[in-house]
Amino acid sequence: MNVNTANTFLGATTIAGGTGVVLGSGGQDGRSGGNVILQGTGVLELAFGGQTFDNNITGAALSTVKVSGAGVTITPNSDNNAFAGTWEITGSANISNTAAAVISHVGSASKVNLKGGTLNLETTDSAGLSFGHVLTGNGVLHVTFNSGPSHFAF
């Protein structure tokens, strides 16, 4: 299913295994409010560009969030600690917050597959950033510390 315009739906969206939802395409928006629940092999694709996605995402280990849009920002309002699936990035995703919050936006047990895409992590504090996620692919992981010297553990 493709959703290509912003909407005011604030309820939870459940994406069952074997199905997928594409939000935006060709720069269109497609976002809504509410939590996104990925079951089994469910797929959520963020295809919009230059927009912010601030929904909480939960999902099983076989679920996937694809970021194919350019400049998709995962906002500080989202808490994706319950997401254990894979981020597949072919576009570019931006996450900026405190070091602890940056990791919660990615998800506590998730994997990151940079399929030619870019993941920009930016911390707003001087705490170190421990990126304990499985990282695969041939894209770019870019880390910026904005509050003085710090460390990045991988």
Side-chain angles (χ1 to χ4, degrees), residues 5-113:
T5 59
N7 61 77
T8 59
F9 178 69
L10 298 176
T13 300
T14 299
I15 303 172
T19 64
V21 173
V22 178
L23 299 181
S25 65
Q28 298 300 314
D29 193 339
R31 297 171 299 144
S32 68
N35 297 336
V36 177
I37 303 159
L38 298 169
Q39 296 177 334
T41 57
V43 176
L44 170 67
E45 182 172 351
L46 307 177
F48 51 81
Q51 301 289 332
T52 298
F53 185 78
D54 60 1
N55 306 60
N56 294 336
I57 302 170
T58 61
L62 297 176
S63 62
T64 303
V65 175
K66 295 182 178 185
V67 179
S68 60
V72 175
T73 298
I74 309 301
T75 187
N77 296 330
S78 64
D79 178 0
N80 303 323
N81 267 324
F83 179 65
T86 299
W87 290 88
E88 183 179 289
I89 302 174
T90 58
S92 60
N94 308 307
I95 301 174
S96 177
N97 206 322
T98 63
V102 163
I103 296 305
S104 91
H105 298 325
V106 177
S108 61
S110 67
K111 300 165 275 312
V112 177
N113 183 358

Side-chain angles (χ1 to χ4, degrees), residues 90-143:
T90 58
S92 60
N94 308 307
I95 301 174
S96 177
N97 206 322
T98 63
V102 163
I103 296 305
S104 91
H105 298 325
V106 177
S108 61
S110 67
K111 300 165 275 312
V112 177
N113 183 358
L114 298 172
K115 286 183 92 171
T118 300
L119 175 58
N120 297 301
L121 303 177
E122 178 181 13
T123 65
T124 58
D125 61 5
S126 59
L129 182 61
S130 295
F131 191 83
H133 299 73
V134 173
L135 180 66
T136 61
N138 61 351
V140 174
L141 173 63
H142 184 255
V143 180

